[in-house]
Amino acid sequence: MKEKAPRNRTLVLNDDEIPILKKEILTLSDLEDFSAGGENSFNSENRLADRESAPLEKILDKTINADILKALPLLPDEFADLIIIDPPYNLTKNFGGTVFNERSEKAYDDYLATWFPLVCEKLKQTGSLYICGDWKCTSSLQRVVQKELSILNRITWQREKGRGACANWKNSMEDIWFAVKNSNDYYFDVEAVKQKRRVIAPYKENGKPKDWEEESEGNFRLAYPSNFWDDISIPFWSMSENTDHPTQKSEKLYAKLILASSKPNDIIFDPFLGSGTASVVAKKLGRTFVGIELSEEYCLYAQKRLHRAETDKTIQGYSDGVFWERNTLAEQRKK
């Protein structure tokens, strides 16, 4: 194994901890055992016939290693207060040995339709859903979401890094679609996601700061969040949250979604858990969680990160109840 650089904090799995972490992960067999109705085979639509869902208490705060098409029918309906989805984009990508292949727009639409309606069945009537995508698949996401839910907004966030391009514009932006089941009854806490911005030209009224505060670190004001985010850092090798997952989302990104659209103790569900960011952030912020992930390796990453979250509640870029602009919080630069 190649030796890591001294400052490389990318998470690794040690041989002695893998068997322990495996025991903590639920499998499809576990879900079937939790469910009532005896042994039944999957029908032609990959859905279980005549089987009740697993009791909610059996799946809370758990990582489920399974195919979502087989696992979703075994989960109770309308259990999630918030669903966050980071599905494979319409790109060829290797996810822990499973390759998702780029396809036509029509074929990608058809792929989304196989599982997205099933996911929406797990959302409470007052729940919210966020789904991530890039420029190439965002129109497909909009089409599939608006068939099931009410779309309220599209967040665009700036990637700190992106591959260069010689014959095209460099891709450094991604989207997150925000939707709800009931546009007249959903939770949104704007106060929880204000951003602390540096004031470049401080204005005073009667000799006192107007809409800003003078602090030891500089002059700042709390700003209401918009649907364009330019303060997100992609996990990289010197960050302790980083794993070898190829499309890992940052904890700060998900913290904004969770704080805005859920209350303490609410249930956060991620059907494409990856290396566990949604579950980890939910735990750090006092929520409960359920996550499904096809790759056992990524499930192990998630479990190890969840163990760390028991003692380390920090989220890079989030401190003292506010989100800071990139590179403006001295304490964050020291971590």
Side-chain angles (χ1 to χ4, degrees), residues 136-294:
K136 189 174 182 181
C137 69
T138 195
S139 58
S140 294
L141 297 180
Q142 182 181 15
R143 283 192 293 271
V144 73
V145 173
Q146 65 188 10
K147 289 180 181 178
E148 306 293 331
L149 305 171
S150 297
I151 294 177
L152 298 186
N153 214 325
R154 184 184 71 179
I155 299 163
T156 298
W157 61 280
Q158 182 182 26
R159 292 169 53 95
E160 188 181 48
K161 60 182 180 180
R163 292 185 177 182
C166 297
N168 200 345
W169 304 103
K170 175 180 170 181
N171 181 26
S172 60
M173 313 289 282
E174 291 194 12
D175 289 336
I176 304 176
W177 289 94
F178 171 35
V180 297
K181 270 196 172 179
N182 185 347
S183 58
N184 294 315
D185 187 12
Y186 65 95
Y187 179 80
F188 192 83
D189 185 1
V190 72
E191 295 294 329
V193 286
K194 285 186 174 180
Q195 186 180 52
K196 203 160 190 176
R197 289 187 175 275
R198 187 183 297 277
V199 176
I200 305 299
Y203 175 74
K204 292 185 176 182
E205 191 174 80
N206 298 323
K208 296 182 179 180
K210 182 176 175 58
D211 299 326
W212 59 275
E213 296 181 3
E214 192 171 8
E215 302 180 11
S216 58
E217 297 94 349
N219 300 326
F220 295 93
R221 67 181 177 88
L222 286 178
Y224 279 86
S226 74
N227 62 352
F228 172 68
W229 300 351
D230 60 356
D231 61 323
I232 303 299
S233 295
I234 303 298
F236 57 94
W237 59 271
S238 67
M239 296 168 63
S240 60
E241 68 184 81
N242 189 51
T243 73
D244 284 333
H245 192 284
T247 61
Q248 181 180 345
K249 296 297 187 290
S250 76
E251 293 184 6
K252 183 180 182 181
L253 181 73
Y254 277 17
K256 292 190 177 193
L257 308 179
I258 290 172
L259 285 170
S261 295
S262 72
K263 305 172 187 175
N265 299 316
D266 275 356
I267 302 173
I268 315 302
F269 176 44
D270 186 343
F272 290 88
L273 186 64
S275 59
T277 299
S279 294
V280 170
V281 177
K283 184 168 186 173
K284 289 184 176 184
L285 296 176
R287 276 70 171 168
T288 55
F289 58 86
V290 177
I292 300 176
E293 171 53 43
L294 182 61

Side-chain angles (χ1 to χ4, degrees), residues 68-69 72 85 87-88 111-120 131 271-272:
I68 63 167
L69 289 177
L72 284 172
I85 313 175
Y111 159 73
L112 295 175
T114 62
W115 55 262
F116 186 77
L118 302 179
V119 170
C120 291
I131 185 167
F272 290 88

